[in-house]
Amino acid sequence: MAQRISLTRYLVEEQRVDGSIPAQLRLLLEVVARACKSISQAVNKGALGGVLGTAESENVQGEIQKKLDIIANEVLIEANEWGGHLAAMASEEMEGIYLVPNRYPQGEYLLLFDPLDGSSNIDVNVSIGTIFSVLVKPEGEGVSEQDFLQAGAKQVAAGYCVYGPQTTLVLTVGDGVAMFTLDREQGSFVLTQEKVMIPEDTKEFAVNMSNMRHWAPPVTRYIEECLQGKDGPRDKDFNMRWIASMVADVHRILTRGGVFMYPWDKREPEKAGKLRLMYEANPMSWLIEQAGGAATNGKQRILEIQPDKLHQRVSVILGSKNEVDRVTRYHAEAE
Ligand code: AHG
Ligand code: MN
Ligand code: MN
């Protein structure tokens, strides 16, 4: 039997090969993985663990929080605050940044997360996940929200953990994408795929079609052409999937290709999109690019967007390169 490579061993070997993972970053990734294991346990217990249903609170985005949104947020904070590897954290579920308490040593990294992605799927037992992004704190005293406002291209690590039929951790430190499956008996993440690559072409798209009448013309054009299938200009039939958990949709795309979109729509024109740049779009875009795919907001590479707010939203088109390029070209042609 081939030797099993644990997440720990993978990180140690990556560090040895090209020094891309400093010790503190390795610790950080191990801690995040441990937190994900614990969230996975809570998710698995479901109704038996009393974790289903809504909490009586709203987050800063005005969304009703689920119990599991809050539990996952607390698990990530408690796991990460004492290790000495972080300066501060930011989360979809917290309005401001969370400073590492004074009683603990301060590290040089900043951690951002969407503790529980796909909240609407919790109670119906469909895949959900945790998304995270790691930045280096800029030089200088203390830490402020401003320190977090770095373009996605500056990330030093990014990943997600999907809680589905299997619990899978997917990670990049800028050296390709690796996938680890949780071995529940051993309690460890085991490397199950390395150097993940997304096919450049696809016949599968993921978008919430119920919003179609609100989209901008280039997005409508692209989807209409897909829908025409063999009878239209694309000359091939397309298939559609929409899980309503970005983690699960992105995981499918990393596994077999496809294009995912959550575009701007005209219901709230001042909002750039639904998804959040810093802890949803940036980490996912980097993973997708590391796997040979592309990610844009229709006009610009997502990783190059300079954020001006922690909870900034963005229009997202990501996945198989040729399809993302096509949607982006349709935007340029519409200008
Ligand atoms: P979250 O649960 O963290 O708020 O994110 C949900 C996001 C994303 O995961 C998913 O792709 C999208 O919202 C689903 O939106 P619709 O319900 O509009 O389809
Ligand atoms: Mn989310
Ligand atoms: Mn969330």
Side-chain angles (χ1 to χ4, degrees):
M1 198 180 92
Q3 226 187 7
R4 286 159 53 113
I5 298 182
S6 64
L7 173 67
T8 304
R9 178 163 169 189
Y10 173 85
L11 295 173
V12 167
E13 286 177 355
E14 277 287 302
Q15 181 182 358
R16 258 187 226 142
V17 174
D18 58 8
S20 61
I21 316 182
Q24 275 208 353
L25 181 56
R26 210 177 81 211
L27 172 64
L28 188 164
L29 294 171
E30 298 243 31
V31 172
V32 169
R34 201 166 63 225
C36 289
K37 248 189 274 180
S38 146
I39 297 169
S40 174
Q41 292 295 348
V43 168
N44 266 259
K45 287 196 183 120
L48 298 177
V51 298
L52 304 186
T54 47
E56 270 153 23
S57 52
E58 265 188 13
N59 65 14
V60 55
Q61 356 251 346
E63 299 159 342
I64 302 282
Q65 290 176 304
K66 301 276 181 168
K67 285 184 192 158
L68 217 44
D69 288 321
I70 296 172
I71 294 169
N73 194 58
E74 281 169 4
V75 168
L76 281 156
I77 288 179
E78 279 168 20
N80 277 289
E81 66 180 357
W82 51 269
H85 51 284
L86 285 184
M89 295 179 245
S91 160
E92 174 183 300
E93 304 303 338
M94 300 186 294
E95 183 164 4
I97 62 170
Y98 179 92
L99 300 177
V100 166
N102 282 333
R103 60 184 183 278
Y104 301 122
Q106 317 278 309
E108 60 170 317
Y109 292 103
L110 304 173
L111 174 65
L112 297 101
F113 45 83
D114 174 355
L116 212 289
D117 175 68
S119 305
S120 74
N121 283 324
I122 297 172
D123 295 356
V124 293
N125 199 1
V126 170
S127 296
I128 49 182
T130 297
I131 312 173
F132 61 93
S133 163
V134 184
L135 296 165
V136 175
K137 185 186 100 68
E139 297 278 310
E141 275 297 293
V143 46
S144 68
E145 191 165 313
Q146 188 61 34
D147 293 333
F148 281 81
L149 305 181
Q150 306 180 37
K154 297 251 176 81
Q155 293 171 103
V156 291
Y160 64 81
C161 187
V162 56
Y163 314 114
Q166 303 117 42
T167 288
T168 310
L169 181 77
V170 179
L171 181 69
T172 186
V173 288
D175 181 28
V177 176
M179 294 187 178
F180 303 84
T181 305
L182 180 61
D183 178 334
R184 287 191 187 278
E185 279 106 65
Q186 304 288 330
S188 64
F189 281 104
V190 179
L191 181 67
T192 40
Q193 216 189 325
E194 236 184 323
K195 307 282 176 214
V196 174
M197 288 306 282
I198 306 173
E200 287 191 352
D201 293 297
T202 182
K203 293 176 164 183
E204 205 159 57
F205 65 84
V207 70
N208 185 339
M209 288 290 293
S210 67
N211 298 331
M212 189 163 189
R213 70 187 193 284
H214 309 296
W215 294 337
V219 176
T220 314
R221 172 184 171 193
Y222 174 78
I223 294 295
E224 271 173 353
E225 290 180 0
C226 292
L227 295 179
Q228 286 165 41
K230 275 204 161 78
D231 304 330
R234 299 303 307 275
D235 202 26
K236 59 179 180 182
D237 290 332
F238 279 78
N239 187 24
M240 192 197 94
R241 287 286 183 276
W242 183 250
I243 303 175
S245 292
M246 188 192 202
V247 266
D249 279 310
V250 167
H251 194 64
R252 184 189 58 255
I253 290 172
L254 282 171
T255 306
R256 68 173 188 215
V259 58
F260 168 96
M261 293 193 265
Y262 213 116
W264 170 90
D265 82 41
K266 61 174 183 274
R267 280 168 300 178
E268 291 177 281
E270 68 295 341
K271 255 194 210 169
K274 175 180 181 180
L275 298 176
R276 277 58 53 122
L277 174 64
M278 305 289 297
Y279 39 82
E280 291 178 318
N282 275 343
M284 293 312 208
S285 297
W286 196 30
L287 287 164
I288 292 283
E289 285 197 4
Q290 282 287 313
T296 77
N297 64 357
K299 299 186 167 122
Q300 186 185 10
R301 215 178 134 219
I302 286 181
L303 295 182
E304 283 171 7
I305 297 173
Q306 174 56 48
D308 50 36
K309 283 203 303 266
L310 195 55
H311 299 288
Q312 183 163 333
R313 292 174 191 260
V314 65
S315 177
V316 175
I317 299 145
L318 59 76
S320 290
K321 183 158 190 324
N322 291 339
E323 295 302 306
V324 175
D325 287 353
R326 178 181 287 267
V327 186
T328 309
R329 175 160 56 81
Y330 288 4
H331 279 81
E333 285 173 12
E335 291 274 284

